[in-house]
Amino acid sequence: MRPAQIIVLVFLAVILFGAALLTLPAASKTGQPSGFLTALFTATSATCVTGLIVVDTGVYWSGFGQTVILIMIQIGGLGFMTIASIFFFALRQKIGLKQRMVLSQAFSMDDMSGIVRFVRNVLLGTLLVEGAGAAILCLRFWPEFGFASALRYGVFHSISAFCNAGFDVLGDVEAGGSLCRYVSDPVVNITVMLLIVIGGLGFSVWGDIRRNRRFSRMTVYTRMVILITLGLIFGGAAAFAFLEWNNPGTIGDLTPGSKILASFFQSVTLRTAGFTTIDQNALSDVSKALCDVLMFIGGSSGSTAGGVKTATIGVVVLYALGTARGRSQVIAFRRAVSPRDVSHAVAIVLLVFTLALLGAGFISVADGMSLENALYETISALCTVGLTTGITGSLGTASRILIIIYMFFGRVGIMTISVGFMAANPASERTQCAQTKIMIG
């Protein structure tokens, strides 16, 4: 089996095993077994670090069920082989060639050299970052909930934020769910935002930053990711502040400082995190369209985030600008991007956009939802964001199954699935056809 096929099947096995555990009576607070579709939806959302839910995590699931969800989030965020490497390191066993190939594929790396050292650094960095986040959140929640609950909340939300999962266990439904109660809290907002950004930048980017430090010495990919990420965070926050400043349903009733903080949080969480401090359904139509764009882009390759990825969008934009100027190459920081990478970037963008649009049309017809809210839902699922306008729980069986499939595709990767299964044995080109002229535009 190829590495891509192994990744797909392992993710599927983790989802099914997690769903089986969530159907147990011990997984729900009522002590009653949960329906398999509800358990499957939750397990897929957790393993694919999406955050879409049909039942509130803090209200419905017991401590056992929340633990199962947290483990699936960690496995989904780092990848099964990364977690399994802990046992190789603990037992001092050598990681074989097959395992190295799977790890390289999971982190979107073309070279296997140094992959073991890279994975060791990923595990250590993850432990440090999640531990620091958990400690800060625990100290913040301690006066409000007591030490035991504060520690549990801190650990859960730190892992959920770093893995860009968006699950919460506060069970604060009356305040709007998720982190709506803390919309004006700088400690919770800034801590969660930092965890989301660190997890969404990508492990290879942080390794490059640690090695080179100076921006000019970093790789073209790292520089592109940093610039696009900063542009999306600050540009998105400015746009949301401008569009929602006087909207009483979102940030209109907040103080100026809280409005700016909520705008930045909204801009960051749309990068596939799924936490929310404002009502998504109360956003204006233009703001929802902006949300769709930011969710569609997502984070960076080889990270815990989803979406079509920042560098992919960067290449497509550079390709469009270069074509408009009559250039035959895509140039980034005085380096030419290979035609193969350009074609892959265009293909991914078209595939995800087409699937999101078709899925939105299906949900709109099947469940009578507005196309706007349905598109918000499908982009959120495909790009593993987890934000919703509130329609997830009211979706029918067919639409829920569609969202499950979209979340799986979004996390494992459309290109991984297509290359691993559909093109496992590509036919060689035995003939070359004559070129023809097509009228474009």
Side-chain angles (χ1 to χ4, degrees), residues 364-376:
S364 180
V365 173
D367 295 290
M369 304 294 178
S370 67
L371 184 62
E372 178 184 54
N373 288 341
L375 184 62
Y376 199 100

Side-chain angles (χ1 to χ4, degrees), residues 101-119:
M101 292 173 63
V102 176
L103 288 169
S104 300
Q105 180 80 23
F107 287 106
S108 303
M109 298 176 65
D110 297 326
D111 191 4
M112 288 189 298
S113 61
I115 186 64
V116 176
R117 182 174 64 255
F118 178 79
V119 172

Side-chain angles (χ1 to χ4, degrees), residues 85-398:
S85 299
I86 297 175
F87 297 98
F88 284 94
F89 296 145
L91 298 175
R92 299 184 181 274
Q93 295 292 320
K94 184 177 180 181
I95 298 180
L97 178 61
K98 193 70 174 181
Q99 288 79 21
R100 293 170 189 256
M101 292 173 63
V102 176
L103 288 169
S104 300
Q105 180 80 23
F107 287 106
S108 303
M109 298 176 65
D110 297 326
D111 191 4
M112 288 189 298
S113 61
I115 186 64
V116 176
R117 182 174 64 255
F118 178 79
V119 172
R120 187 181 287 110
N121 291 335
V122 166
L123 291 171
L124 180 60
T126 299
L127 178 63
L128 292 176
V129 173
E130 290 181 348
I136 295 173
L137 292 175
C138 177
L139 292 175
R140 169 59 188 86
F141 292 141
W142 192 349
E144 187 175 356
F145 300 104
F147 178 74
S149 296
L151 180 62
R152 181 167 64 90
Y153 291 161
V155 171
F156 191 100
H157 292 96
S158 178
I159 294 176
S160 183
F162 179 78
C163 293
N164 281 222
F167 279 82
D168 75 279
V169 290
L170 293 172
D172 200 0
V173 179
E174 293 183 359
S178 194
L179 302 177
C180 287
R181 181 194 294 186
Y182 303 98
V183 62
S184 301
D185 191 307
V187 176
V188 174
N189 278 261
I190 293 174
T191 302
V192 172
M193 282 193 289
L194 287 175
L195 288 168
I196 293 170
V197 172
I198 292 173
L201 275 178
F203 303 107
S204 61
V205 171
W206 283 112
D208 194 14
I209 293 174
R210 184 176 61 86
R211 286 191 306 270
N212 297 308
R213 298 184 182 181
R214 290 181 58 181
F215 187 77
S216 59
R217 294 180 180 177
M218 297 174 190
T219 63
V220 172
Y221 171 75
T222 298
R223 284 183 280 175
M224 183 182 294
V225 166
I226 291 175
L227 290 179
I228 294 175
T229 299
L230 290 175
L232 291 174
I233 290 174
F234 286 92
F240 278 115
F242 175 77
L243 294 171
E244 300 293 322
W245 193 266
N246 295 317
N247 184 353
T250 54
I251 65 174
D253 296 333
L254 302 176
T255 63
S258 297
K259 290 180 181 181
I260 295 174
L261 185 63
S263 297
F264 269 102
F265 191 90
Q266 178 73 3
S267 179
V268 170
T269 194
L270 285 166
R271 311 293 306 291
T272 81
F275 289 106
T276 181
T277 56
I278 59 176
D279 184 5
Q280 301 298 302
N281 194 38
L283 293 168
S284 64
D285 293 343
V286 179
S287 295
K288 287 182 181 179
L290 177 61
C291 291
D292 289 338
V293 174
L294 293 177
M295 288 192 298
F296 187 82
I297 297 173
S300 303
S301 301
S303 71
T304 60
V308 298
K309 305 299 188 294
T310 50
T312 302
I313 290 295
V315 169
V316 172
V317 171
L318 290 175
Y319 176 61
L321 293 175
T323 302
R325 298 176 64 182
R327 289 182 175 179
S328 58
Q329 288 184 317
V330 176
I331 307 298
F333 297 101
R334 298 183 180 180
R335 294 290 188 273
V337 182
S338 70
R340 180 174 176 269
D341 290 338
V342 175
S343 62
H344 281 182
V346 174
I348 290 174
V349 170
L350 289 177
L351 281 171
V352 175
F353 179 75
T354 302
L355 285 173
L357 197 59
L358 291 175
F362 176 83
I363 292 175
S364 180
V365 173
D367 295 290
M369 304 294 178
S370 67
L371 184 62
E372 178 184 54
N373 288 341
L375 184 62
Y376 199 100
E377 195 83 3
T378 54
I379 292 179
S380 180
L382 267 175
C383 300
T384 67
V385 181
L387 291 175
T388 178
T389 55
I391 68 172
T392 309
S394 57
L395 293 178
T397 301

Side-chain angles (χ1 to χ4, degrees), residues 6 20 22 27 30 59 66 73 83 114 116 121 124 168 180 207 237 241 274 352 361 369 397 405 408 414:
I6 295 174
L22 291 178
T30 61
V59 174
Q66 293 174 12
I73 289 173
I83 302 297
V116 176
N121 291 335
L124 180 60
D168 75 279
C180 287
V352 175
M369 304 294 178
T397 301
I405 295 173
F408 184 77
I414 296 174

Side-chain angles (χ1 to χ4, degrees), residues 387-412:
L387 291 175
T388 178
T389 55
I391 68 172
T392 309
S394 57
L395 293 178
T397 301
S399 296
R400 290 189 184 187
I401 293 174
L402 176 68
I403 295 297
I404 290 173
I405 295 173
Y406 273 19
M407 289 189 293
F408 184 77
F409 265 61
R411 181 54 184 158
V412 177

